[in-house]
Amino acid sequence: MKESQANRRQFIKESFATAAGLTGMAALPVESLGAPAIRSTSPLADAHGRTIQKPTAARIRFSVIGLNHGHINGQVDAVTAGGGQLVSFYAKEPDLAAAFAKRYPQAKQAGSEKEILEDQSIQLVVSASIPDERAPLGVRVMRAGKDYMVDKPGITSLEQLAEVRRVQKDTKRIFSIMYSERFGNRATVKAGELVKAGAIGQVIQTIGLGPHQMNPKSRPDWFFDRKRFGGIICDIGSHQCDQFLFFTGSTKAEVVAAQAGNVHHPQYPKFEDFGDLMLRGDAGTGYIRVDWFTPDGLKTWGDGRLTILGTDGFIELRKNVDIAGRSGGNHLILVDQKETRYIDCSKQPLPYGEQLVDDILNRTETAMSQAHCFLATELALKAQKQAQNPTLKQ
């Protein structure tokens, strides 16, 4: 179990170690990602001897509010790699604040959320607070005239979604949800490039599998309370809803069927350990399954997979592990009318951080459109709300 937890932390760290959007450049050393960016002068080498470039001068200033999930480190590193300077942070929990300050010593610890929101030099607030607190914080951030990037699930109820949509429309600020299984996975980014280039024709279906390892002893109390995390489809399933929309190109979609429940953990009565759903979009269909049943025998936290079916071929991703034997993650298999091809995506650049910073500066939507962001969340929330409880014989 300790090995699996370490692998998950390594996955999150490695997912954002590349200087986002700089095609052909290898990973930046971890220590440079936490420091204020400096203007490039000459090439240098990372810990593996690969040539890299120093990051360009910081283009925006950003702060962090809420440190309740470890995804915050990947979020911060993505923005930093994209040209952001981490200025300050705030957390109510002293232990979480101490750990963050050790990792990012250049960031000032603010005395309150208000201190950050009233700092007019801050352009972006990043958060991985407890899930049901994320949308209300985003509303306050947008009303303070700042953009917002949040861990998934960024919104845990349809009522929250309505309020966020209303405030975003009024303020014209960016509300971006960090769907790390797409933005932070190199194989998924590569698959997006291949689909856009027409490698498998028109996409007609996606099948997304999001198994996770539970590790209950390491989880906080809110992890087991559906009211706090929103339910398994709202939480993990939002990743797959995002990928369904992205790869099919659907701009309208509906939930065909859904089920979710706690089938094996009666000691946690407010928890959900299994869920699946079917989606129908205006440009494709989708099936999604998410669960907390990854066994300790796997060498990583989950055998995440995505199959993208096209009219002229298909792509299959083994995101975190190849149980057939290849080392590491980010495996892509492409099958078309001519051949079956394996692609190692471990060095694929991750553009999300740089694109988000571009969008903040230029008021554009290159990282993710606001409509897409909200529709992916809406599908997950509607599926969660209408999900039937699968009652299984024990």
Side-chain angles (χ1 to χ4, degrees):
M1 183 174 293
K2 290 182 179 179
E3 182 183 5
S4 297
Q5 289 175 275
N7 282 330
R8 178 170 176 82
R9 288 192 293 270
Q10 183 69 15
F11 166 79
I12 293 171
K13 185 172 88 172
E14 289 179 352
S15 291
F16 293 98
T18 296
L22 302 180
T23 304
M25 294 172 62
L28 289 170
V30 174
E31 60 268 24
S32 72
L33 290 175
I38 55 177
R39 191 166 297 280
S40 176
T41 55
S42 61
L44 64 157
D46 68 6
H48 302 285
R50 295 174 297 198
T51 300
I52 59 174
Q53 296 283 343
K54 293 180 181 180
T56 56
R59 301 191 292 150
I60 67 165
R61 290 163 57 86
F62 75 100
S63 295
V64 169
I65 300 175
L67 308 172
N68 299 91
H69 199 293
H71 285 166
I72 192 63
N73 296 329
Q75 295 171 261
V76 168
D77 292 347
V79 178
T80 303
Q85 179 183 350
L86 176 60
V87 175
S88 58
F89 72 95
Y90 172 72
K92 295 177 287 187
E93 303 84 0
D95 58 332
L96 298 179
F100 190 84
K102 184 177 181 180
R103 182 181 176 96
Y104 301 103
Q106 79 278 14
K108 171 189 173 184
Q109 184 171 354
S112 66
E113 172 189 306
K114 183 179 179 181
E115 180 181 332
I116 291 175
L117 296 184
E118 291 184 349
D119 185 344
Q120 296 185 6
S121 74
I122 301 301
Q123 295 151 279
L124 171 71
V125 171
V126 176
S127 180
S129 54
I130 297 174
D132 66 333
E133 298 177 356
R134 294 171 184 175
L137 172 61
V139 167
R140 298 192 295 274
V141 168
M142 291 188 291
R143 284 177 172 161
K146 306 180 190 307
D147 296 316
Y148 185 58
M149 188 260 269
V150 62
D151 185 24
K152 67 81 214 165
I155 301 169
T156 57
S157 71
L158 290 168
E159 293 75 20
Q160 285 187 350
L161 176 61
E163 175 70 2
V164 168
R165 274 178 159 153
R166 182 164 53 250
V167 174
Q168 192 280 323
K169 182 179 180 180
D170 290 344
T171 62
K172 303 296 189 294
R173 307 316 304 179
I174 295 170
F175 188 107
S176 184
I177 298 176
M178 175 76 200
Y179 295 115
S180 57
E181 288 191 23
R182 176 161 68 94
F183 295 131
N185 184 270
R186 303 178 195 280
T188 314
V189 173
K190 181 63 177 179
E193 293 180 355
L194 292 168
V195 167
K196 185 177 181 181
I200 58 172
Q202 179 183 347
V203 174
I204 56 177
Q205 189 200 39
T206 61
I207 299 176
L209 306 181
H212 282 59
Q213 192 171 60
M214 192 170 171
N215 296 324
K217 292 182 180 180
S218 69
R219 303 291 183 175
D221 290 342
W222 59 261
F223 174 82
F224 300 99
D225 187 347
R226 174 178 164 174
K227 184 177 180 181
R228 303 305 310 270
F229 71 84
I232 191 169
I233 295 177
C234 167
D235 181 17
I236 307 175
S238 62
H239 280 304
Q240 280 71 31
C241 289
D242 161 68
Q243 291 167 87
F244 156 75
L245 292 175
F246 176 74
F247 284 107
T248 65
S250 294
T251 56
K252 297 179 180 179
E254 61 180 338
V255 178
V256 178
Q259 56 186 349
N262 186 343
V263 302
H264 191 64
H265 296 90
Q267 68 272 40
Y268 304 114
K270 298 180 181 180
F271 187 60
E272 288 184 340
D273 55 22
F274 176 85
D276 70 349
L277 61 147
M278 293 175 60
L279 300 170
R280 181 188 297 120
D282 57 357
T285 64
Y287 172 75
I288 293 165
R289 192 205 79 211
V290 291
D291 66 76
W292 288 100
F293 288 110
T294 294
D296 291 347
L298 193 68
K299 294 182 179 180
T300 187
W301 54 269
D303 184 11
R305 302 188 188 190
L306 177 67
T307 299
I308 309 164
L309 176 64
T311 53
D312 294 317
F314 67 88
I315 292 171
E316 182 173 348
L317 308 180
R318 303 290 178 87
K319 296 192 175 191
N320 311 323
V321 63
D322 178 10
I323 59 175
R326 294 186 182 95
S327 63
N330 297 295
H331 306 283
L332 185 152
I333 298 97
L334 169 65
V335 183
D336 58 20
Q337 304 289 6
K338 297 180 179 179
E339 62 180 344
T340 297
R341 184 157 50 109
Y342 168 77
I343 301 175
D344 177 2
C345 304
S346 60
K347 296 182 181 180
Q348 173 72 26
L350 299 170
Y352 172 73
E354 185 175 32
Q355 289 173 340
L356 179 62
V357 173
D358 287 345
D359 292 339
I360 291 168
L361 293 171
N362 302 324
R363 310 319 298 170
T364 51
E365 294 188 333
T366 63
M368 172 174 54
S369 74
Q370 199 63 73
H372 173 105
C373 178
F374 288 152
L375 181 56
T377 293
E378 179 182 334
L379 289 172
L381 292 173
K382 285 184 174 179
Q384 184 71 60
K385 186 174 182 178
Q386 72 182 59
Q388 298 184 32
N389 188 357
T391 303
L392 307 180
K393 293 181 179 181
Q394 299 296 321

